[in-house]
């Protein structure tokens, strides 16, 4: 059965006077207007984050800046796909409560983190995004620094996935944008080694921005899949997700071809289960859509697993990186 997904096509306030989503749904552009002052939950419950993942054939970089109310979280991961390995590092601050002034819109404002051990900034001038990092304490003081510029390959159309999803409890919501198929150019220095992201076949790199704001219920399970690249020289990517909040009004499943969004229905990740009901994250997955327009095999290469238990909160995650192959059908 096909979902009746509600598309937002005009500017609308995200939250009403009670801190609830005014009109749950999805959009191709940033029509929802987020105002932190309209949130009714305590400041310790508000989550605001910007996450960038930049991947080339042989290596990649992920950057996280998050204000989770009670904790500020700043993380860096460097991937070596030739060796199927990754190195991660993170720093935290206590009770930021919005002090970092994260932008209210993904297309305006900057993120600036300047802590004693890590500095990162995400700037956007309307045409390109400039990511900067300086983290001397990364990987046992080996150190990592970076400057990367991101642009969208299509200057005429720049669709993104936008979703506003309520939870089953008043005042709780998930507001998210995914910007796929960003072309990446720049350099990352890890210790004495320099890695170049460019536009040649050897080091061509693509990025995704995961931009989110929200107030979540305490216990959640969330599945997210993302890819960006090119097919016959034309930018192509997708965003997939399920399991988070009340998605009756819309899913976050979308294809992107040459800057244009193509909406999908529901998707399911079929992750292999081995002996003793153990999830085999590094075995091939199958990903399928209810409308028959997305049939993929995902072959994992790296499982960046992390189980962080801070007593008042616990995050148990598997970020699995690898290669997709299969069929996707545009509108």
């Amino acid at each position: 059965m096909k979902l009746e997904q509600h598309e937002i096509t005009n500017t609308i306030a995200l939250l009403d006077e009670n801190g609830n989503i005014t009109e749950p749904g999805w959009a191709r552009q940033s029509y929802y207007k987020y105002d932190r002052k309209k949130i009714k939950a305590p400041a310790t419950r508000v989550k605001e984050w910007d996450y960038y993942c930049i991947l080339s054939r042989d290596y990649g970089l992920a950057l996280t800046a998050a204000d989770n109310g009670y904790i500020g979280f700043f993380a860096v991961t460097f991937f070596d796909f030739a060796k199927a390995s990754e190195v991660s590092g993170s720093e935290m601050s206590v009770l930021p409560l919005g002090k970092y002034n994260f932008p209210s819109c993904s297309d305006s404002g900057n993120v600036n983190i300047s802590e004693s051990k890590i500095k990162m900034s995400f700037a956007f001038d309307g045409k390109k995004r400039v990511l900067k990092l300086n983290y001397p304490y990364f990987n046992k003081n080996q150190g990592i620094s970076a400057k990367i510029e991101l642009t969208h390959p299509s200057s005429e159309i720049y669709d993104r996935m936008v979703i506003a999803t309520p939870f089953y409890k008043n005042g709780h919501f998930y507001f998210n944008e995914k910007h796929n198929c960003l072309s990446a150019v720049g350099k990352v220095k890890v210790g004495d080694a320099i890695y170049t992201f460019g536009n040649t076949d050897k080091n061509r790199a693509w990025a995704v921005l995961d931009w989110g704001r929200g107030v979540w219920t305490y216990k959640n399970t969330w599945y997210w899949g993302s890819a960006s690249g090119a097919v016959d020289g034309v930018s192509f990517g997708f965003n997939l997700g399920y399991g988070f909040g009340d998605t009756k009004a819309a899913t976050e499943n979308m294809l992107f071809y040459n800057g244009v969004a193509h909406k999908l229905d529901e998707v399911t990740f079929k992750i292999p289960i081995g002996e003793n009901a153990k999830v085999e994250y590094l075995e091939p997955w199958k990903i399928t859509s209810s409308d028959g327009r997305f049939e993929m095999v995902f072959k994992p290469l790296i499982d960046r697993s992390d189980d962080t238990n801070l007593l008042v909160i616990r995050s148990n995650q598997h970020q699995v990186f690898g290669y997709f192959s299969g069929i996707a059908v545009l509108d």
Side-chain angles (χ1 to χ4, degrees), residues 278-307:
K278 182 181 179 181
V279 180
E280 301 289 351
Y281 288 102
L282 289 175
E283 294 298 318
W285 306 13
K286 290 184 178 180
I287 303 175
T288 184
S289 65
S290 59
D291 54 13
R293 291 175 51 198
F294 191 89
E295 301 296 328
M296 289 280 172
V297 172
F298 176 63
K299 293 185 178 180
L301 188 64
I302 296 173
D303 176 14
R304 200 199 78 79
S305 60
D306 181 48
D307 189 353

PDB file of all heavy atoms in Angstrom, residues 278-307:
ATOM      1  N   LYS A 278      22.890 -13.044  16.125  1.00  0.00           N
ATOM      2  CA  LYS A 278      23.838 -11.939  16.087  1.00  0.00           C
ATOM      3  C   LYS A 278      23.758 -11.231  14.741  1.00  0.00           C
ATOM      4  O   LYS A 278      23.782 -11.869  13.691  1.00  0.00           O
ATOM      5  CB  LYS A 278      25.257 -12.455  16.321  1.00  0.00           C
ATOM      6  CG  LYS A 278      26.304 -11.353  16.344  1.00  0.00           C
ATOM      7  CD  LYS A 278      27.697 -11.919  16.556  1.00  0.00           C
ATOM      8  CE  LYS A 278      28.746 -10.825  16.545  1.00  0.00           C
ATOM      9  NZ  LYS A 278      30.122 -11.380  16.722  1.00  0.00           N
ATOM     10  N   VAL A 279      23.678  -9.901  14.787  1.00  0.00           N
ATOM     11  CA  VAL A 279      23.625  -9.115  13.559  1.00  0.00           C
ATOM     12  C   VAL A 279      25.004  -9.097  12.907  1.00  0.00           C
ATOM     13  O   VAL A 279      26.006  -8.754  13.536  1.00  0.00           O
ATOM     14  CB  VAL A 279      23.165  -7.669  13.840  1.00  0.00           C
ATOM     15  CG1 VAL A 279      23.114  -6.869  12.539  1.00  0.00           C
ATOM     16  CG2 VAL A 279      21.806  -7.660  14.523  1.00  0.00           C
ATOM     17  N   GLU A 280      25.056  -9.473  11.635  1.00  0.00           N
ATOM     18  CA  GLU A 280      26.318  -9.543  10.896  1.00  0.00           C
ATOM     19  C   GLU A 280      26.447  -8.285  10.031  1.00  0.00           C
ATOM     20  O   GLU A 280      26.144  -8.288   8.835  1.00  0.00           O
ATOM     21  CB  GLU A 280      26.344 -10.806  10.039  1.00  0.00           C
ATOM     22  CG  GLU A 280      26.190 -12.100  10.810  1.00  0.00           C
ATOM     23  CD  GLU A 280      27.428 -12.440  11.638  1.00  0.00           C
ATOM     24  OE1 GLU A 280      28.460 -11.761  11.488  1.00  0.00           O
ATOM     25  OE2 GLU A 280      27.361 -13.395  12.444  1.00  0.00           O
ATOM     26  N   TYR A 281      26.924  -7.209  10.632  1.00  0.00           N
ATOM     27  CA  TYR A 281      26.936  -5.927   9.939  1.00  0.00           C
ATOM     28  C   TYR A 281      27.862  -5.908   8.724  1.00  0.00           C
ATOM     29  O   TYR A 281      27.652  -5.111   7.795  1.00  0.00           O
ATOM     30  CB  TYR A 281      27.357  -4.822  10.916  1.00  0.00           C
ATOM     31  CG  TYR A 281      26.309  -4.492  11.939  1.00  0.00           C
ATOM     32  CD1 TYR A 281      26.417  -4.965  13.247  1.00  0.00           C
ATOM     33  CD2 TYR A 281      25.205  -3.714  11.609  1.00  0.00           C
ATOM     34  CE1 TYR A 281      25.455  -4.674  14.189  1.00  0.00           C
ATOM     35  CE2 TYR A 281      24.236  -3.419  12.539  1.00  0.00           C
ATOM     36  CZ  TYR A 281      24.362  -3.895  13.837  1.00  0.00           C
ATOM     37  OH  TYR A 281      23.400  -3.611  14.771  1.00  0.00           O
ATOM     38  N   LEU A 282      28.884  -6.733   8.690  1.00  0.00           N
ATOM     39  CA  LEU A 282      29.848  -6.694   7.598  1.00  0.00           C
ATOM     40  C   LEU A 282      29.558  -7.701   6.493  1.00  0.00           C
ATOM     41  O   LEU A 282      30.347  -7.857   5.564  1.00  0.00           O
ATOM     42  CB  LEU A 282      31.262  -6.903   8.147  1.00  0.00           C
ATOM     43  CG  LEU A 282      31.815  -5.726   8.952  1.00  0.00           C
ATOM     44  CD1 LEU A 282      33.166  -6.061   9.558  1.00  0.00           C
ATOM     45  CD2 LEU A 282      31.917  -4.467   8.078  1.00  0.00           C
ATOM     46  N   GLU A 283      28.418  -8.377   6.585  1.00  0.00           N
ATOM     47  CA  GLU A 283      27.951  -9.223   5.491  1.00  0.00           C
ATOM     48  C   GLU A 283      27.039  -8.396   4.583  1.00  0.00           C
ATOM     49  O   GLU A 283      26.484  -7.385   5.015  1.00  0.00           O
ATOM     50  CB  GLU A 283      27.210 -10.441   6.037  1.00  0.00           C
ATOM     51  CG  GLU A 283      28.085 -11.401   6.829  1.00  0.00           C
ATOM     52  CD  GLU A 283      29.199 -11.989   5.993  1.00  0.00           C
ATOM     53  OE1 GLU A 283      28.935 -12.357   4.821  1.00  0.00           O
ATOM     54  OE2 GLU A 283      30.345 -12.070   6.487  1.00  0.00           O
ATOM     55  N   PRO A 284      26.860  -8.792   3.319  1.00  0.00           N
ATOM     56  CA  PRO A 284      26.026  -7.997   2.400  1.00  0.00           C
ATOM     57  C   PRO A 284      24.590  -7.838   2.879  1.00  0.00           C
ATOM     58  O   PRO A 284      23.967  -8.782   3.350  1.00  0.00           O
ATOM     59  CB  PRO A 284      26.081  -8.806   1.099  1.00  0.00           C
ATOM     60  CG  PRO A 284      27.367  -9.555   1.178  1.00  0.00           C
ATOM     61  CD  PRO A 284      27.530  -9.908   2.631  1.00  0.00           C
ATOM     62  N   TRP A 285      24.089  -6.605   2.754  1.00  0.00           N
ATOM     63  CA  TRP A 285      22.705  -6.282   3.100  1.00  0.00           C
ATOM     64  C   TRP A 285      21.874  -6.241   1.817  1.00  0.00           C
ATOM     65  O   TRP A 285      22.394  -6.056   0.720  1.00  0.00           O
ATOM     66  CB  TRP A 285      22.585  -4.914   3.745  1.00  0.00           C
ATOM     67  CG  TRP A 285      23.437  -4.632   4.934  1.00  0.00           C
ATOM     68  CD1 TRP A 285      24.499  -5.341   5.415  1.00  0.00           C
ATOM     69  CD2 TRP A 285      23.307  -3.505   5.801  1.00  0.00           C
ATOM     70  NE1 TRP A 285      25.037  -4.735   6.527  1.00  0.00           N
ATOM     71  CE2 TRP A 285      24.324  -3.601   6.780  1.00  0.00           C
ATOM     72  CE3 TRP A 285      22.437  -2.425   5.852  1.00  0.00           C
ATOM     73  CZ2 TRP A 285      24.486  -2.654   7.792  1.00  0.00           C
ATOM     74  CZ3 TRP A 285      22.588  -1.478   6.857  1.00  0.00           C
ATOM     75  CH2 TRP A 285      23.595  -1.606   7.816  1.00  0.00           C
ATOM     76  N   LYS A 286      20.566  -6.318   2.002  1.00  0.00           N
ATOM     77  CA  LYS A 286      19.632  -6.007   0.926  1.00  0.00           C
ATOM     78  C   LYS A 286      18.744  -4.845   1.382  1.00  0.00           C
ATOM     79  O   LYS A 286      18.298  -4.811   2.517  1.00  0.00           O
ATOM     80  CB  LYS A 286      18.767  -7.227   0.568  1.00  0.00           C
ATOM     81  CG  LYS A 286      19.526  -8.341  -0.127  1.00  0.00           C
ATOM     82  CD  LYS A 286      18.593  -9.473  -0.547  1.00  0.00           C
ATOM     83  CE  LYS A 286      19.375 -10.558  -1.283  1.00  0.00           C
ATOM     84  NZ  LYS A 286      18.480 -11.667  -1.704  1.00  0.00           N
ATOM     85  N   ILE A 287      18.531  -3.914   0.482  1.00  0.00           N
ATOM     86  CA  ILE A 287      17.685  -2.767   0.775  1.00  0.00           C
ATOM     87  C   ILE A 287      16.610  -2.693  -0.299  1.00  0.00           C
ATOM     88  O   ILE A 287      16.916  -2.713  -1.497  1.00  0.00           O
ATOM     89  CB  ILE A 287      18.500  -1.456   0.815  1.00  0.00           C
ATOM     90  CG1 ILE A 287      19.624  -1.580   1.843  1.00  0.00           C
ATOM     91  CG2 ILE A 287      17.602  -0.270   1.156  1.00  0.00           C
ATOM     92  CD1 ILE A 287      20.558  -0.394   1.881  1.00  0.00           C
ATOM     93  N   THR A 288      15.360  -2.638   0.128  1.00  0.00           N
ATOM     94  CA  THR A 288      14.248  -2.715  -0.808  1.00  0.00           C
ATOM     95  C   THR A 288      13.199  -1.678  -0.468  1.00  0.00           C
ATOM     96  O   THR A 288      13.064  -1.271   0.696  1.00  0.00           O
ATOM     97  CB  THR A 288      13.632  -4.128  -0.795  1.00  0.00           C
ATOM     98  OG1 THR A 288      12.609  -4.209  -1.778  1.00  0.00           O
ATOM     99  CG2 THR A 288      13.057  -4.463   0.574  1.00  0.00           C
ATOM    100  N   SER A 289      12.445  -1.237  -1.462  1.00  0.00           N
ATOM    101  CA  SER A 289      11.391  -0.244  -1.237  1.00  0.00           C
ATOM    102  C   SER A 289      10.027  -0.864  -1.499  1.00  0.00           C
ATOM    103  O   SER A 289       9.876  -1.775  -2.322  1.00  0.00           O
ATOM    104  CB  SER A 289      11.581   0.975  -2.147  1.00  0.00           C
ATOM    105  OG  SER A 289      11.425   0.618  -3.495  1.00  0.00           O
ATOM    106  N   SER A 290       9.023  -0.333  -0.802  1.00  0.00           N
ATOM    107  CA  SER A 290       7.673  -0.874  -0.919  1.00  0.00           C
ATOM    108  C   SER A 290       7.053  -0.577  -2.284  1.00  0.00           C
ATOM    109  O   SER A 290       6.141  -1.284  -2.714  1.00  0.00           O
ATOM    110  CB  SER A 290       6.781  -0.293   0.184  1.00  0.00           C
ATOM    111  OG  SER A 290       6.733   1.131   0.087  1.00  0.00           O
ATOM    112  N   ASP A 291       7.554   0.454  -2.978  1.00  0.00           N
ATOM    113  CA  ASP A 291       7.000   0.786  -4.288  1.00  0.00           C
ATOM    114  C   ASP A 291       7.785   0.146  -5.435  1.00  0.00           C
ATOM    115  O   ASP A 291       7.516   0.407  -6.608  1.00  0.00           O
ATOM    116  CB  ASP A 291       6.934   2.309  -4.478  1.00  0.00           C
ATOM    117  CG  ASP A 291       8.264   3.010  -4.240  1.00  0.00           C
ATOM    118  OD1 ASP A 291       9.286   2.300  -4.180  1.00  0.00           O
ATOM    119  OD2 ASP A 291       8.269   4.241  -4.103  1.00  0.00           O
ATOM    120  N   GLY A 292       8.785  -0.691  -5.099  1.00  0.00           N
ATOM    121  CA  GLY A 292       9.527  -1.414  -6.120  1.00  0.00           C
ATOM    122  C   GLY A 292      10.494  -0.579  -6.920  1.00  0.00           C
ATOM    123  O   GLY A 292      11.038  -1.035  -7.931  1.00  0.00           O
ATOM    124  N   ARG A 293      10.782   0.643  -6.463  1.00  0.00           N
ATOM    125  CA  ARG A 293      11.628   1.552  -7.235  1.00  0.00           C
ATOM    126  C   ARG A 293      13.063   1.618  -6.718  1.00  0.00           C
ATOM    127  O   ARG A 293      13.880   2.362  -7.244  1.00  0.00           O
ATOM    128  CB  ARG A 293      11.024   2.966  -7.235  1.00  0.00           C
ATOM    129  CG  ARG A 293       9.732   3.065  -8.024  1.00  0.00           C
ATOM    130  CD  ARG A 293       9.116   4.434  -7.895  1.00  0.00           C
ATOM    131  NE  ARG A 293      10.096   5.481  -8.191  1.00  0.00           N
ATOM    132  CZ  ARG A 293       9.938   6.755  -7.827  1.00  0.00           C
ATOM    133  NH1 ARG A 293       8.867   7.115  -7.142  1.00  0.00           N
ATOM    134  NH2 ARG A 293      10.860   7.640  -8.135  1.00  0.00           N
ATOM    135  N   PHE A 294      13.365   0.832  -5.704  1.00  0.00           N
ATOM    136  CA  PHE A 294      14.716   0.869  -5.139  1.00  0.00           C
ATOM    137  C   PHE A 294      15.077  -0.524  -4.662  1.00  0.00           C
ATOM    138  O   PHE A 294      14.511  -1.028  -3.687  1.00  0.00           O
ATOM    139  CB  PHE A 294      14.764   1.871  -3.977  1.00  0.00           C
ATOM    140  CG  PHE A 294      16.159   2.177  -3.509  1.00  0.00           C
ATOM    141  CD1 PHE A 294      16.894   3.201  -4.084  1.00  0.00           C
ATOM    142  CD2 PHE A 294      16.747   1.448  -2.488  1.00  0.00           C
ATOM    143  CE1 PHE A 294      18.179   3.484  -3.663  1.00  0.00           C
ATOM    144  CE2 PHE A 294      18.030   1.724  -2.055  1.00  0.00           C
ATOM    145  CZ  PHE A 294      18.753   2.750  -2.645  1.00  0.00           C
ATOM    146  N   GLU A 295      15.997  -1.158  -5.357  1.00  0.00           N
ATOM    147  CA  GLU A 295      16.441  -2.504  -5.003  1.00  0.00           C
ATOM    148  C   GLU A 295      17.966  -2.508  -5.031  1.00  0.00           C
ATOM    149  O   GLU A 295      18.564  -2.418  -6.107  1.00  0.00           O
ATOM    150  CB  GLU A 295      15.877  -3.536  -5.972  1.00  0.00           C
ATOM    151  CG  GLU A 295      14.353  -3.575  -6.040  1.00  0.00           C
ATOM    152  CD  GLU A 295      13.713  -3.999  -4.732  1.00  0.00           C
ATOM    153  OE1 GLU A 295      14.336  -4.813  -4.014  1.00  0.00           O
ATOM    154  OE2 GLU A 295      12.603  -3.523  -4.424  1.00  0.00           O
ATOM    155  N   MET A 296      18.584  -2.577  -3.868  1.00  0.00           N
ATOM    156  CA  MET A 296      20.031  -2.448  -3.778  1.00  0.00           C
ATOM    157  C   MET A 296      20.641  -3.569  -2.937  1.00  0.00           C
ATOM    158  O   MET A 296      20.003  -4.089  -2.017  1.00  0.00           O
ATOM    159  CB  MET A 296      20.412  -1.117  -3.132  1.00  0.00           C
ATOM    160  CG  MET A 296      20.155   0.102  -3.982  1.00  0.00           C
ATOM    161  SD  MET A 296      21.455   0.362  -5.204  1.00  0.00           S
ATOM    162  CE  MET A 296      20.692   1.704  -6.147  1.00  0.00           C
ATOM    163  N   VAL A 297      21.884  -3.880  -3.260  1.00  0.00           N
ATOM    164  CA  VAL A 297      22.739  -4.695  -2.403  1.00  0.00           C
ATOM    165  C   VAL A 297      23.816  -3.769  -1.860  1.00  0.00           C
ATOM    166  O   VAL A 297      24.420  -2.989  -2.601  1.00  0.00           O
ATOM    167  CB  VAL A 297      23.376  -5.859  -3.166  1.00  0.00           C
ATOM    168  CG1 VAL A 297      24.407  -6.575  -2.291  1.00  0.00           C
ATOM    169  CG2 VAL A 297      22.305  -6.835  -3.627  1.00  0.00           C
ATOM    170  N   PHE A 298      24.024  -3.828  -0.559  1.00  0.00           N
ATOM    171  CA  PHE A 298      25.047  -3.016   0.094  1.00  0.00           C
ATOM    172  C   PHE A 298      26.148  -3.947   0.592  1.00  0.00           C
ATOM    173  O   PHE A 298      25.883  -4.858   1.381  1.00  0.00           O
ATOM    174  CB  PHE A 298      24.433  -2.235   1.261  1.00  0.00           C
ATOM    175  CG  PHE A 298      25.439  -1.450   2.059  1.00  0.00           C
ATOM    176  CD1 PHE A 298      26.157  -0.421   1.488  1.00  0.00           C
ATOM    177  CD2 PHE A 298      25.658  -1.747   3.394  1.00  0.00           C
ATOM    178  CE1 PHE A 298      27.081   0.306   2.225  1.00  0.00           C
ATOM    179  CE2 PHE A 298      26.571  -1.029   4.149  1.00  0.00           C
ATOM    180  CZ  PHE A 298      27.286  -0.001   3.556  1.00  0.00           C
ATOM    181  N   LYS A 299      27.376  -3.732   0.099  1.00  0.00           N
ATOM    182  CA  LYS A 299      28.516  -4.555   0.507  1.00  0.00           C
ATOM    183  C   LYS A 299      29.385  -3.754   1.469  1.00  0.00           C
ATOM    184  O   LYS A 299      30.103  -2.841   1.058  1.00  0.00           O
ATOM    185  CB  LYS A 299      29.303  -4.986  -0.727  1.00  0.00           C
ATOM    186  CG  LYS A 299      28.525  -5.933  -1.623  1.00  0.00           C
ATOM    187  CD  LYS A 299      29.371  -6.438  -2.789  1.00  0.00           C
ATOM    188  CE  LYS A 299      28.582  -7.429  -3.634  1.00  0.00           C
ATOM    189  NZ  LYS A 299      29.379  -7.935  -4.777  1.00  0.00           N
ATOM    190  N   PRO A 300      29.324  -4.057   2.752  1.00  0.00           N
ATOM    191  CA  PRO A 300      30.062  -3.283   3.762  1.00  0.00           C
ATOM    192  C   PRO A 300      31.564  -3.461   3.658  1.00  0.00           C
ATOM    193  O   PRO A 300      32.062  -4.514   3.256  1.00  0.00           O
ATOM    194  CB  PRO A 300      29.531  -3.833   5.089  1.00  0.00           C
ATOM    195  CG  PRO A 300      28.232  -4.494   4.753  1.00  0.00           C
ATOM    196  CD  PRO A 300      28.439  -5.039   3.373  1.00  0.00           C
ATOM    197  N   LEU A 301      32.275  -2.414   4.067  1.00  0.00           N
ATOM    198  CA  LEU A 301      33.724  -2.437   4.112  1.00  0.00           C
ATOM    199  C   LEU A 301      34.234  -2.123   5.513  1.00  0.00           C
ATOM    200  O   LEU A 301      35.183  -2.727   5.997  1.00  0.00           O
ATOM    201  CB  LEU A 301      34.284  -1.424   3.112  1.00  0.00           C
ATOM    202  CG  LEU A 301      35.785  -1.433   2.873  1.00  0.00           C
ATOM    203  CD1 LEU A 301      36.216  -2.757   2.256  1.00  0.00           C
ATOM    204  CD2 LEU A 301      36.179  -0.274   1.952  1.00  0.00           C
ATOM    205  N   ILE A 302      33.585  -1.144   6.178  1.00  0.00           N
ATOM    206  CA  ILE A 302      33.988  -0.715   7.523  1.00  0.00           C
ATOM    207  C   ILE A 302      32.747  -0.601   8.394  1.00  0.00           C
ATOM    208  O   ILE A 302      31.731  -0.044   7.977  1.00  0.00           O
ATOM    209  CB  ILE A 302      34.696   0.655   7.477  1.00  0.00           C
ATOM    210  CG1 ILE A 302      36.014   0.561   6.694  1.00  0.00           C
ATOM    211  CG2 ILE A 302      34.969   1.176   8.885  1.00  0.00           C
ATOM    212  CD1 ILE A 302      36.675   1.909   6.476  1.00  0.00           C
ATOM    213  N   ASP A 303      32.826  -1.120   9.596  1.00  0.00           N
ATOM    214  CA  ASP A 303      31.775  -0.911  10.615  1.00  0.00           C
ATOM    215  C   ASP A 303      32.365  -0.055  11.720  1.00  0.00           C
ATOM    216  O   ASP A 303      33.139  -0.534  12.554  1.00  0.00           O
ATOM    217  CB  ASP A 303      31.292  -2.250  11.169  1.00  0.00           C
ATOM    218  CG  ASP A 303      30.270  -2.069  12.298  1.00  0.00           C
ATOM    219  OD1 ASP A 303      29.760  -0.946  12.463  1.00  0.00           O
ATOM    220  OD2 ASP A 303      29.990  -3.059  13.002  1.00  0.00           O
ATOM    221  N   ARG A 304      32.013   1.238  11.713  1.00  0.00           N
ATOM    222  CA  ARG A 304      32.478   2.127  12.778  1.00  0.00           C
ATOM    223  C   ARG A 304      31.464   2.062  13.909  1.00  0.00           C
ATOM    224  O   ARG A 304      30.504   2.807  13.958  1.00  0.00           O
ATOM    225  CB  ARG A 304      32.623   3.567  12.266  1.00  0.00           C
ATOM    226  CG  ARG A 304      33.541   4.416  13.152  1.00  0.00           C
ATOM    227  CD  ARG A 304      33.332   5.896  12.937  1.00  0.00           C
ATOM    228  NE  ARG A 304      32.143   6.375  13.609  1.00  0.00           N
ATOM    229  CZ  ARG A 304      32.062   6.643  14.917  1.00  0.00           C
ATOM    230  NH1 ARG A 304      33.110   6.457  15.698  1.00  0.00           N
ATOM    231  NH2 ARG A 304      30.944   7.084  15.445  1.00  0.00           N
ATOM    232  N   SER A 305      31.685   1.136  14.816  1.00  0.00           N
ATOM    233  CA  SER A 305      30.750   0.915  15.916  1.00  0.00           C
ATOM    234  C   SER A 305      31.190   1.689  17.145  1.00  0.00           C
ATOM    235  O   SER A 305      32.383   1.893  17.385  1.00  0.00           O
ATOM    236  CB  SER A 305      30.636  -0.570  16.245  1.00  0.00           C
ATOM    237  OG  SER A 305      31.886  -1.089  16.626  1.00  0.00           O
ATOM    238  N   ASP A 306      30.206   2.123  17.923  1.00  0.00           N
ATOM    239  CA  ASP A 306      30.497   2.909  19.125  1.00  0.00           C
ATOM    240  C   ASP A 306      29.342   2.761  20.102  1.00  0.00           C
ATOM    241  O   ASP A 306      28.182   2.918  19.726  1.00  0.00           O
ATOM    242  CB  ASP A 306      30.695   4.388  18.755  1.00  0.00           C
ATOM    243  CG  ASP A 306      31.028   5.239  19.973  1.00  0.00           C
ATOM    244  OD1 ASP A 306      31.907   4.836  20.754  1.00  0.00           O
ATOM    245  OD2 ASP A 306      30.398   6.304  20.135  1.00  0.00           O
ATOM    246  N   ASP A 307      29.672   2.438  21.330  1.00  0.00           N
ATOM    247  CA  ASP A 307      28.671   2.320  22.391  1.00  0.00           C
ATOM    248  C   ASP A 307      29.082   3.261  23.521  1.00  0.00           C
ATOM    249  O   ASP A 307      29.959   2.943  24.320  1.00  0.00           O
ATOM    250  CB  ASP A 307      28.589   0.875  22.885  1.00  0.00           C
ATOM    251  CG  ASP A 307      27.404   0.663  23.826  1.00  0.00           C
ATOM    252  OD1 ASP A 307      26.748   1.658  24.192  1.00  0.00           O
ATOM    253  OD2 ASP A 307      27.139  -0.498  24.194  1.00  0.00           O
TER     254      ASP A 307
END
